[in-house]
Amino acid sequence: MATESGTRDQSWFGDTGQISRLPGRVFAATCLGATLFAILTVFGLLVYVANDAFRPATADPRWHLVFFLTLVLPSLALFGYYVARGDGESWVAATALGIPFFGLLLGSGVLLLFIDVLSVVAWLAFVLAVLAAAVVIKSHRRIRPAPGFLEHLLVIVGSLGAVAPAVYFGVVNLPVVPTPWLIYLLTFGAAGAALAGLVVARRRSSDRAGLTAAALVFAAAAGGGLAVSAVGIEPEIWVVLFTFAGVPTALYVESVLRERERPVGLLFPLVVVVGILLGAFLVDTLGFAGPDSWLDYGFLTSADSRFPEEAGIYPALIGSILMMVVVAAASFPIGVGAALYLEEYAPNDGALGAIVKLVQINIGNLAGVPSIVYGLLGLALFVHWGGLRPGIVIVGGLTIGLLILPIIIIAAQEAIRAVPDSMREASYGMGATQWQTIRRVVLPEALPGILTGSILGFGRAIGETAPLLMIGAAATVYTPPNGFFDLFSAMPRQIYAWVGKPAHEFQYGVMAAGVVTLLVVLLSMNAAAILIRNKYQRRT
Amino acid sequence: MTQDNMTTSDSDADTENEPLVSPAPGSEAIDTDSKRRRTIHDETVVEARNLDVYYGDDQALRDIDIEIPKKQVTAMIGPSGCGKSTFLRCINRMNDLIDSCRVDGELYFEGKNVYDEDVDSVALRRRIGMVFQSPNPFPKSIYDNVAYGLRVQGKTQNMDEKVENALKGAALWDEVKDRLDESGLELSGGQQQRLCIARAIAVDPDVILMDEPASALDPVATSQIEDLIADLAEEYTVVIVTHNMQQAARISDKTAVFLTGGELVEFDETQKIFENPESQRVEDYITGKFG
Ligand SMILES: Nc1ncnc2c1ncn2[C@@H]1O[C@H](COP(=O)(O)OP(=O)(O)OP(=O)(O)O)[C@@H](O)[C@H]1O
Ligand SMILES: [Mg+2]
């Protein structure tokens, strides 16, 4: 090689341009352009809709200035600092802000359910019934540690079929029941306390610490309830929001502080909350008018109306939540079960294997079937054949559950496939049965992935409109559904109805507010999925 | 293959009259007894008769006959792909998990053919534990890892004590006793492999199968595992696959040499295999002339 260098071109380092990078550069630029175009289009649309919904231009410019100074500037600066340090603080910040946010969202959803749908006493009865059944099963396990399968099954069926209903009806028919807020305290407050106790006991490997934490949480739930009722807020609001938002946040903050894992990230939610409060206080005392948004508290809490200013999305919001309960309850267990069967049990070869392959291919196809066809299917299956009333919550939920079933199956299958075979082999090698392997190794490992995929599927479900049209969901209802067998409307259906109204304010203002509400719910669900995935990805 | 040939032909010149296996650092020639000094009972616990194994149409093992003695260490050596793992997985029927795998012939465990219709493979695996080539602890706490077998087998009485004994048996207790609730994945590779051994002995099996348990470990961890195997043989029958000739020589009582094509070419006392093998092919393999 060295001998030839004399006869070769003097410069070997490519400055004469014999090596062309041009096709690659053009290709990269085209890809980037296409991506940017797609993202910017969607983003532009979102900005446009958000502008219609909030109408920031109607606000006093000084209002904007105040919030810019108290909220936007400090949080941007802090976030920039996190990114500059690049040490993962931004994740701590996002999680610390996300947990209370989702907690509040979830807690509000639960509160709404209790206001409109569930009776508090029935809830208490249900909780006690489940507890009683669990106690029976557990104590049987303790007395007879290794029961036969039949005996075990008998106890489970017996406690669920006899003990639980007995307790339930006993409690429902009690002549005196505790006040609602005590019930909330005994169910949610106690559950939050138990959870906090377990987590802390585990983290610090000390039962004392766990007990203290549980006692503290319970005291906070009770004391806080009393305190807020003194200022005229209903104590059950406090108990529920505290359990769903306060407890998880406190647990997260505790873990970050104790392990010293980038605690600077915790500043972010503080800065945001203080910024909002301070800004609100300032504009209030200085008298700067905020924007005249279509999307405001009234929009979220009132029903539709002939007058755009009074129109709201509340009944459709409740309808969507109830429908999602049905969707999740119907599609999640079936989807995960189907995925488990296909991945773990189904034969791979032979005639049966061929059938399984066919099923597998068709699940892929089903995921792509147009949603209007599912609407038709739901109408045929649940209304004409099942004899249910068209347009009720359960019909909508089951139909859309069918629609996302293939999505959930595929997501769950992927998560299950991602569990390394070495884990399964280890389990079988220990003398575990297939069921034990699935229950103790495969499912726990795959669960974060299954949850992430399913939440994304639920996101698809909440925005579906065409099937709702097919099964006859009402365009507008003025009172939220009271149960799963009531007529309902859902957010996308209601939005569709608003677009059809002649008045300009409906077509632009109210509709935009509805779209933003829907998108916020959807994006929060997706963000939750990302948080779950991220948490478990970093663990392993 | 070529790699092996090259390295050996390099060293052949200097090691012409040396023992068949180059000595491990710090030891004298082949010391087949350095870690094993026990009375030897020659009771057979696992026995294969005319065992053929196929993956689809490919035959992986041909007509294997072997009698594995109780409470001894039996090593399986042979070139890559000769079917050592396959044989090991036949013993506790892990091959059942591979759809294309088919077994002909008989394999007796304590006198019962494990491929008989009435044998439950799960029950079999509860008597024959396994440690895999790369450490595969569950993503659970150290305690739960060791307790896993106890739980699935319903042996939940005195769990703490059993877990502690298993960890002591695997020479891991002192390193982890203060952090039993940390994830097993947070241990080092060598610790993870000892955790897997602890997990296997926690349920007190009769036989422990090890498929190259030290292949992913450094010399120190390897030596710890080797010491451990010597101790385990006081109580358990150990069958171990290894690619490391010195290791086989150091830790085993008997050695089985498989050669390409899935044949068991020679099976005898380890000392005999390494010092005076019957078959020329075995001698060639051990000296590295043939890989
Ligand atoms: N799951 C499988 N499916 C098909 N063929 C297989 C499978 N596992 C092993 N084989 C084949 O069986 C033969 C023996 O493989 P085996 O894994 O038992 O070899 P080995 O002696 O353990 O090799 P190594 O030392 O590399 O681990 C090989 O030819 C291999 O290709
Ligand atoms: Mg192998």
Side-chain angles (χ1 to χ4, degrees):
Chain A
M1 298 165 220
T3 53
E4 279 179 28
S5 63
T7 62
R8 285 250 177 116
D9 225 320
Q10 275 312 306
S11 76
W12 52 265
F13 45 91
D15 62 336
T16 49
Q18 317 96 309
I19 306 170
S20 170
R21 294 282 193 293
L22 194 62
R25 292 219 182 92
V26 170
F27 180 71
T30 320
C31 292
L32 179 67
T35 318
L36 283 183
F37 176 75
I39 291 178
L40 285 180
T41 321
V42 177
F43 187 72
L45 184 76
L46 286 183
V47 170
Y48 183 79
V49 174
N51 182 45
D52 272 353
F54 291 110
R55 298 205 288 180
T58 57
D60 189 332
R62 290 170 297 177
W63 183 92
H64 285 294
L65 185 68
V66 168
F67 274 103
F68 181 76
L69 289 179
T70 58
L71 176 65
V72 181
L73 205 60
S75 30
L76 273 186
L78 191 58
F79 208 79
Y81 167 72
Y82 291 156
V83 172
R85 288 201 36 166
D87 196 24
E89 279 93 354
S90 35
W91 266 109
V92 176
T95 319
L97 191 65
I99 290 178
F101 178 75
F102 292 125
L104 282 180
L105 219 62
L106 208 67
S108 318
V110 168
L111 278 174
L112 286 181
L113 273 185
F114 276 100
I115 292 171
D116 277 310
V117 187
L118 295 174
S119 121
V120 189
V121 179
W123 163 246
L124 177 70
F126 175 75
V127 171
L128 290 181
V130 171
L131 266 184
V135 166
V136 171
I137 294 172
K138 271 270 169 214
S139 38
H140 168 250
R141 255 336 255 255
R142 177 141 309 166
I143 298 165
R144 288 178 52 85
F149 175 69
L150 264 184
E151 183 185 334
H152 197 47
L153 193 74
L154 209 71
V155 171
I156 291 180
V157 170
S159 46
L160 287 182
V163 178
V167 173
Y168 180 85
F169 289 109
V171 174
V172 170
N173 294 325
L174 276 184
V176 277
V177 290
T179 57
W181 110 262
L182 263 185
I183 295 181
Y184 282 99
L185 190 63
L186 288 178
T187 52
F188 290 113
L195 178 81
L198 278 180
V199 171
V200 170
R202 190 139 207 213
R203 268 190 206 154
R204 313 211 150 182
S205 22
S206 137
D207 291 343
R208 276 270 300 282
L211 275 179
T212 321
L216 275 179
V217 167
F218 195 76
L226 290 179
V228 297
S229 64
V231 293
I233 302 175
E234 299 197 28
E236 42 267 47
I237 296 183
W238 163 262
V239 174
V240 172
L241 294 188
F242 175 73
T243 319
F244 280 91
V247 174
T249 313
L251 286 176
Y252 180 69
V253 169
E254 195 259 5
S255 83
V256 170
L257 286 182
R258 201 168 54 87
E259 285 165 24
R260 303 253 157 67
E261 263 202 46
R262 302 176 271 278
V264 209
L266 294 179
L267 270 183
F268 191 70
L270 270 186
V271 166
V272 170
V273 171
V274 170
I276 293 176
L277 290 180
L278 186 66
F281 173 75
L282 283 180
V283 295
D284 201 44
T285 46
L286 296 175
F288 300 154
D292 183 15
S293 303
W294 286 109
L295 178 53
D296 52 12
Y297 186 70
F299 179 79
L300 292 177
T301 51
S302 47
D304 194 20
S305 153
R306 278 188 299 135
F307 309 106
E309 287 75 24
E310 286 163 22
I313 203 169
Y314 181 66
L317 186 65
I318 298 292
S320 276
I321 294 180
L322 277 191
M323 188 190 82
M324 288 310 296
V325 172
V326 178
V327 169
S331 61
F332 187 75
I334 298 182
V336 175
L340 273 178
Y341 178 79
L342 287 171
E343 284 302 314
E344 299 286 324
Y345 290 104
N348 277 329
D349 38 30
L352 277 176
I355 298 178
V356 171
K357 278 216 181 71
L358 203 69
V359 170
Q360 182 73 62
I361 291 171
N362 280 303
I363 290 175
N365 283 336
L366 283 180
V369 167
S371 56
I372 193 106
V373 178
Y374 277 100
L376 202 64
L377 176 69
L379 191 66
L381 208 59
F382 304 119
V383 177
H384 292 184
W385 190 67
L388 291 166
R389 198 149 59 109
I392 59 176
V393 176
I394 193 146
V395 171
L398 289 179
T399 305
I400 293 188
L402 272 184
L403 172 97
I404 63 163
L405 190 60
I407 302 178
I408 292 192
I409 295 180
I410 291 171
Q413 271 187 295
E414 258 155 34
I416 292 167
R417 218 173 296 151
V419 177
D421 268 341
S422 66
M423 296 285 101
R424 294 187 182 83
E425 292 209 324
S427 174
Y428 287 123
M430 299 299 310
T433 61
Q434 188 168 19
W435 165 239
Q436 286 171 326
T437 302
I438 290 175
R439 190 169 72 90
R440 292 168 185 262
V441 177
V442 177
L443 261 188
E445 261 304 272
L447 201 61
I450 294 178
L451 279 183
T452 326
S454 304
I455 293 177
L456 294 179
F458 296 151
R460 165 101 193 270
I462 203 167
E464 276 301 334
T465 324
L468 296 180
L469 296 174
M470 291 302 284
I471 58 116
T476 300
V477 292
Y478 291 92
T479 51
N482 267 323
F484 296 117
F485 292 89
D486 279 5
L487 292 176
F488 81 117
S489 179
M491 285 192 283
R493 180 73 188 88
Q494 176 71 65
I495 292 169
Y496 184 65
W498 281 328
V499 185
K501 292 201 176 179
H504 183 268
E505 286 89 346
F506 274 112
Q507 286 189 8
Y508 295 94
V510 179
M511 182 278 273
V515 169
V516 170
T517 314
L518 182 60
L519 282 181
V520 166
V521 175
L522 187 87
L523 291 182
S524 334
M525 284 166 69
N526 290 0
I530 291 172
L531 280 183
I532 293 177
R533 188 175 56 200
N534 196 267
K535 176 169 162 37
Y536 284 93
Q537 252 173 10
R538 285 192 303 164
R539 196 199 54 176
T540 44
Chain B
M1 251 204 173
T2 41
Q3 177 95 40
D4 279 357
N5 288 338
M6 277 170 63
T7 44
T8 41
S9 58
D10 280 351
S11 56
D12 258 358
D14 335 316
T15 56
E16 204 73 291
N17 296 321
E18 295 277 315
L20 296 176
V21 177
S22 51
S27 72
E28 300 270 287
I30 318 171
D31 185 359
T32 41
D33 234 325
S34 61
K35 287 179 178 171
R36 305 295 321 280
R37 300 190 199 286
R38 292 170 296 99
T39 45
I40 287 175
H41 353 243
D42 260 350
E43 195 182 330
T44 300
V45 59
V46 173
E47 178 180 357
R49 285 272 160 264
N50 310 327
L51 191 76
D52 292 306
V53 181
Y54 305 84
Y55 290 108
D57 294 331
D58 300 331
Q59 188 161 6
L61 287 177
R62 276 171 218 279
D63 204 17
I64 305 293
D65 287 293
I66 192 171
E67 290 175 10
I68 294 175
K70 196 165 186 163
K71 297 200 178 178
Q72 296 190 27
V73 178
T74 302
M76 318 242 139
I77 60 175
S80 188
C82 66
K84 306 177 297 290
S85 301
T86 302
F87 179 69
L88 210 62
R89 296 166 58 93
C90 278
I91 299 178
N92 66 346
R93 282 182 57 178
M94 284 299 272
N95 280 336
D96 289 12
L97 304 176
I98 299 170
D99 289 324
S100 66
C101 185
R102 189 164 57 80
V103 178
D104 278 347
E106 290 114 57
L107 197 143
Y108 296 97
F109 170 61
E110 296 193 336
K112 173 80 183 164
N113 183 0
V114 304
Y115 287 96
D116 276 350
E117 296 269 311
D118 57 346
V119 172
D120 182 351
S121 59
V122 171
L124 176 72
R125 291 183 204 129
R126 294 183 176 186
R127 305 282 304 277
I128 305 183
M130 189 154 195
V131 177
F132 296 83
Q133 174 165 3
S134 42
N136 56 354
F138 299 114
K140 301 173 185 282
S141 73
I142 293 172
Y143 183 96
D144 287 343
N145 259 288
V146 183
Y148 185 83
L150 297 169
R151 291 202 173 114
V152 298
Q153 301 188 15
K155 300 175 178 172
T156 47
Q157 264 141 6
N158 306 332
M159 273 241 286
D160 293 352
E161 193 188 319
K162 287 179 189 161
V163 168
E164 182 178 334
N165 286 339
L167 283 169
K168 281 180 176 157
L172 189 62
W173 174 251
D174 290 332
E175 286 153 76
V176 302
K177 62 171 182 260
D178 298 322
R179 45 177 184 149
L180 290 176
D181 55 352
E182 271 175 37
S183 166
L185 296 173
E186 278 163 27
L187 297 175
S188 76
Q191 288 174 327
Q192 288 191 7
Q193 194 60 300
R194 276 180 283 150
L195 180 64
C196 292
I197 294 175
R199 183 171 73 180
I201 59 180
V203 291
D204 199 23
D206 298 324
V207 179
I208 298 178
L209 310 174
M210 298 184 167
D211 195 348
E212 302 181 46
S215 67
L217 305 181
D218 69 24
V220 176
T222 303
S223 150
Q224 281 170 328
I225 301 269
E226 285 180 9
D227 291 339
L228 193 54
I229 291 168
D231 293 341
L232 289 179
E234 303 288 339
E235 259 187 88
Y236 305 101
T237 305
V238 177
V239 185
I240 178 170
V241 170
T242 174
H243 271 293
N244 181 329
M245 236 66 81
Q246 289 93 334
Q247 188 175 66
R250 278 198 298 273
I251 63 175
S252 68
D253 301 300
K254 288 211 162 192
T255 299
V257 186
F258 289 74
L259 288 180
T260 314
E263 287 168 79
L264 172 59
V265 184
E266 200 163 333
F267 175 55
D268 216 322
E269 302 293 331
T270 298
Q271 201 156 2
K272 172 127 189 331
I273 295 276
F274 280 95
E275 282 167 6
N276 188 16
E278 303 265 305
S279 144
Q280 185 60 38
R281 288 164 73 203
V282 170
E283 180 167 347
D284 287 349
Y285 173 69
I286 290 174
T287 51
K289 285 194 184 118
F290 154 76

